[in-house]
Amino acid sequence: MARPKVLGTGIVVGVLWLLMAGTSIWSAIQGAANDRSDWALAWGLVGGLLLVAGLAAIVGSWWHENRVRRDH
């Protein structure tokens, strides 16, 4: 049985990171549109890493609560 508070916390953290990733990627797109390749590269990298972190938080929280915890 999954603990809803723990799972919910992991999902909320993941969603917040996904929102930050979206903002960073949006800024990178705006930088590229203004011919600021350095800006686009930097915020694109930050956005990509935040995107991976957000997805990992959501999937990892679900996985831990439904797979790992059940086995131990």
Side-chain angles (χ1 to χ4, degrees):
M1 174 70 67
R3 298 172 294 180
K5 287 183 183 178
V6 173
L7 185 58
T9 301
I11 290 173
V12 167
V13 168
V15 168
L16 289 174
W17 280 348
L18 290 177
L19 290 172
M20 288 189 289
T23 303
S24 299
I25 292 170
W26 176 80
S27 182
I29 292 168
Q30 294 299 315
N34 291 324
D35 294 327
R36 295 284 313 267
S37 59
D38 57 335
W39 186 279
L41 176 63
W43 283 111
L45 288 172
V46 169
L49 291 172
L50 284 169
L51 182 68
V52 170
L55 292 174
I58 293 170
V59 172
S61 296
W62 178 85
W63 187 268
H64 185 75
E65 284 301 308
N66 291 307
R67 301 292 180 154
V68 176
R69 191 168 171 268
R70 178 183 59 190
D71 295 340
H72 297 294

